[in-house]
């Protein structure tokens, strides 16, 4: 039997079209790119996590001379959120970047490991985690994805091991 999955997302032509809380979150992600330690890739990623009470936790990619030891911005931000606000649920995560030496100016989307990590956080709480994707260009479009399920269908979860 042939089946279909539907990927749902919204596209905004400019971040000014976002509700103020989401714009604030995307701005925090862009600001967090300044915290990146990316001497190897020169690719500075910032992420910001919005909690249910409006608090925002930021993170940036932190690279290492032993490349696999580096951590992505999304997981850095989620780690901060979960240790500093352990009992609060997450409403959204925004990702932005500055590509100082490259030419790509498209939207970036979380890597596979970060998708798996976001899925773990989403599975631990009742509400989905919205994902906002943007970049550092002033006229960048913004993509809003309602849940990590749309980026990581058929994910491996705790229930997979029951
Ligand atoms: N990176 C992130 O921080 N988040 C992503 O979603 C994609 C990639 C980082 C990891 C590494 O420091 C650099 O970008 C290049 O891969």
């Amino acid at each position: 039997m042939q089946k279909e999955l539907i990927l749902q997302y919204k596209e905004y032509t400019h971040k000014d079209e976002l509700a103020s809380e989401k714009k604030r979150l995307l701005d925090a992600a862009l600001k967090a790119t300044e915290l990146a330690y990316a001497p190897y890739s020169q690719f500075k990623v910032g992420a910001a996590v919005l909690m249910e009470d409006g608090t925002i936790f930021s993170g940036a990619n932190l690279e290492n001379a032993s490349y696999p030891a580096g951590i992505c911005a999304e997981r850095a931000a989620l780690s901060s959120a979960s240790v500093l606000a352990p009992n609060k649920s997450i409403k959204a995560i925004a990702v932005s970047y500055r590509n100082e030496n490259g030419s790509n100016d498209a939207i970036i989307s979380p890597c596979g490991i970060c998708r798996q990590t976001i899925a773990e956080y989403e599975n631990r709480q009742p509400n989905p985690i919205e994902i906002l994707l943007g970049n550092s260009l002033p006229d960048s479009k913004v993509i809003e994805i309602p849940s990590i399920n749309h980026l990581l269908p058929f994910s491996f979860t705790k229930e997979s091991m029951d």
Side-chain angles (χ1 to χ4, degrees):
M1 185 194 292
Q2 180 83 12
K3 295 194 175 187
E4 274 181 20
L5 276 176
I6 295 174
L7 165 62
Q8 271 184 346
Y9 67 98
K10 282 187 194 157
E11 192 174 298
Y12 300 88
T13 50
H14 195 275
K15 68 178 176 182
D16 288 347
E17 293 169 24
L18 293 169
S20 64
E21 192 175 52
K22 287 181 186 170
K23 185 171 180 296
R24 191 167 67 94
L25 187 67
L26 196 60
D27 285 342
L30 178 57
K31 179 85 182 142
T33 61
E34 293 167 18
L35 305 171
Y37 172 68
Y40 305 104
S41 71
Q42 318 291 332
F43 190 75
K44 296 182 174 177
V45 186
V49 172
L50 176 67
M51 311 306 288
E52 59 187 347
D53 65 355
T55 315
I56 289 177
F57 294 98
S58 297
N61 56 331
L62 305 166
E63 297 184 347
N64 192 286
S66 173
Y67 291 5
I71 186 169
C72 291
E74 295 90 325
R75 280 175 291 137
L78 287 165
S79 298
S80 294
S82 70
V83 293
L84 296 172
N87 300 315
K88 293 196 181 109
S89 79
I90 296 169
K91 276 172 80 173
I93 181 167
V95 185
S96 189
Y97 73 100
R98 286 176 201 277
N99 189 9
E100 283 165 358
N101 294 337
S103 56
N104 178 49
D105 61 5
I107 298 291
I108 61 159
S109 174
C111 77
I113 299 175
C114 289
R115 290 177 194 211
Q116 183 70 28
T117 304
I118 297 166
E120 186 77 25
Y121 281 94
E122 188 170 291
N123 290 336
R124 287 168 59 187
Q125 63 179 44
N127 58 292
I129 298 176
E130 279 189 358
I131 301 157
L132 285 172
L133 307 173
N135 69 28
S136 59
L137 300 178
D139 57 354
S140 166
K141 68 177 181 183
V142 179
I143 286 178
E144 183 186 282
I145 299 155
S147 159
I148 193 65
N149 285 334
H150 295 270
L151 292 183
L152 193 68
F154 295 106
S155 61
F156 182 76
T157 66
K158 185 170 173 287
E159 285 68 41
S160 310
M161 291 180 280
D162 284 349

